[in-house]
Each structure stands twice: as C-alpha cells, then as structure tokens.
Amino acid sequence: MGAELDVVRGSLSPLRKRVLEELREPASATTVAARLGETRQRVNYHLRELEKAGLVEVVELRQRRGRQERVVRATARTVVVAPEVVGAPSPGEQDRFAADTLLAVTARTFGDVAEMRERAAQEGKRLVTFTIETDVGFAEPADISRFATDLAARVADLVASYDSPEATRRYRLIIGGHPTPVSDQEREDRP
C-alpha cells in the first residue's frame, strides 16, 4: 500500500493538478508546458507519472520534428482519494464536527455519484440529483454547534413530512459545512 499511497499523493501535487486541468481536452507535453510556463521535460515527467497512476491516457501518437509526440488527455474529470487509501476514521472519531468525517462522507459521495452517473449514461438515462450550497457567517464559535443542532432538527422534520415508505427510489441527503477557503491574495490583504 505504501507505493499506492505515494502515487496518489504525487499525482495530486499542485503542478499535477494544473496539468490535469489542462488535459480536459487532449494536448501534448509541449502544449501543456507552454500554457503553464513550465519546461516540456518537466511536464513530460509528470505526464508519465500521471499515466502510470491511470489518470491520463495516450490518445494519439504523431511525428513532429524527428520525434514522436504523445497527445494525452485526463481519464476522469474528477479525482478523489478514496478514504480507504488514507485510512477511514474510526467510529470513535466520527462526530459531526470532525473534519475527517466530512472528508470521508464527501469521498464516499463522490464515488457513489460517479458510479451511478456512469451506469445511468450506459443505460441512456439521466441521473437526477440536487445540490444546495450557500455561505453563512457565525459571530461566535458556539453558534456553529447551535446552528448544526437547529439544522438537524429542521431537516428531520422536513424529511418526516416527505419520506414515503412506498418510495422505490431513496435519496441520501448529506449536509456538511467547512470554512470558506481564503485565497492567497485575501491572506495578503488582511492586516
């Protein structure tokens, strides 16, 4: 498992993330390097490592200036590290305020939805989902706990009013919260 963990960590480095973003459409190492302001050799090294990890694939080989140019693309639009790779939190660590619990639930959700989306596409169907996202500010740290308790009670009431024992299709509702990420520029602008 050690080698697998290194591949997953390496494939998620900042440069490799940027390379994967550029490879939503097929491109060569030369093209990606020019877009990112990196050397072709450096990008090519990372492309080979991403290919070993199964995150990119060769889609075309073509002759260019006496050498063979490889055109590659990302094999997936989203890459998620499965909780079992980094170790799922133990039941004692799983509380609604633990970051590891939020990460594990989110990773499981990515996996479940990606698998169902793929199955639906193979069957020529649409996967019906819904998403609700908002930002909220809390004046005091204790407000987070009160908010979570109030939200849980309201959601329980709402679920009880809609839940049907005759339903053939069930939906998993996941509600989580985390601090809004702060950009590097915002950090620099703070006093």
Side-chain angles (χ1 to χ4, degrees):
M1 179 158 167
E4 179 181 306
L5 193 57
D6 291 339
V7 168
V8 171
R9 281 186 178 154
S11 63
L12 298 177
S13 71
L15 178 56
R16 290 184 188 175
K17 284 182 201 177
R18 291 172 48 215
V19 168
L20 283 173
E21 288 171 10
E22 290 296 326
L23 292 175
R24 291 177 190 219
E25 298 295 324
S28 67
T30 303
T31 303
V32 172
R35 289 181 194 154
L36 298 179
E38 297 286 345
T39 65
R40 180 185 58 79
Q41 294 83 357
R42 185 169 187 218
V43 169
N44 198 41
Y45 167 78
H46 289 287
L47 285 175
R48 298 275 185 182
E49 294 300 309
L50 289 167
E51 187 177 358
K52 285 180 197 173
L55 299 175
V56 300
E57 64 186 356
V58 177
V59 294
E60 182 184 352
L61 296 172
R62 56 186 175 208
Q63 286 302 118
R64 181 176 171 154
R65 297 183 186 154
R67 64 178 173 82
Q68 194 172 55
E69 183 176 59
R70 297 160 29 94
V71 177
V72 297
R73 72 170 170 221
T75 57
R77 292 179 188 249
T78 305
V79 178
V80 178
V81 178
E84 59 270 13
V85 172
V86 293
S90 68
E93 296 171 323
Q94 292 185 4
D95 70 62
R96 70 178 179 192
F97 299 107
D100 288 341
T101 301
L102 179 59
L103 290 170
V105 169
T106 303
R108 185 185 71 215
T109 302
F110 277 136
D112 291 349
V113 173
E115 183 180 318
M116 288 184 288
R117 180 182 65 180
E118 192 69 30
R119 196 173 327 127
Q122 289 171 356
E123 296 172 4
K125 296 179 179 177
R126 180 175 176 257
L127 179 63
V128 179
T129 64
F130 64 93
T131 305
I132 301 167
E133 183 177 359
T134 190
D135 285 349
V136 59
F138 297 103
E140 304 281 333
D143 291 345
I144 298 170
S145 178
R146 287 192 297 275
F147 177 83
T149 300
D150 190 28
L151 181 61
R154 291 179 191 208
V155 168
D157 289 343
L158 191 59
V159 166
S161 69
Y162 281 89
D163 193 25
S164 170
E166 297 86 33
T168 57
R169 169 133 320 196
R170 312 257 333 142
Y171 274 73
R172 179 173 292 141
L173 179 63
I174 300 163
I175 300 172
H178 58 81
T180 303
V182 177
S183 71
D184 291 339
Q185 183 62 48
E186 290 171 318
R187 276 190 199 95
E188 290 176 12
D189 293 344
R190 288 185 176 174

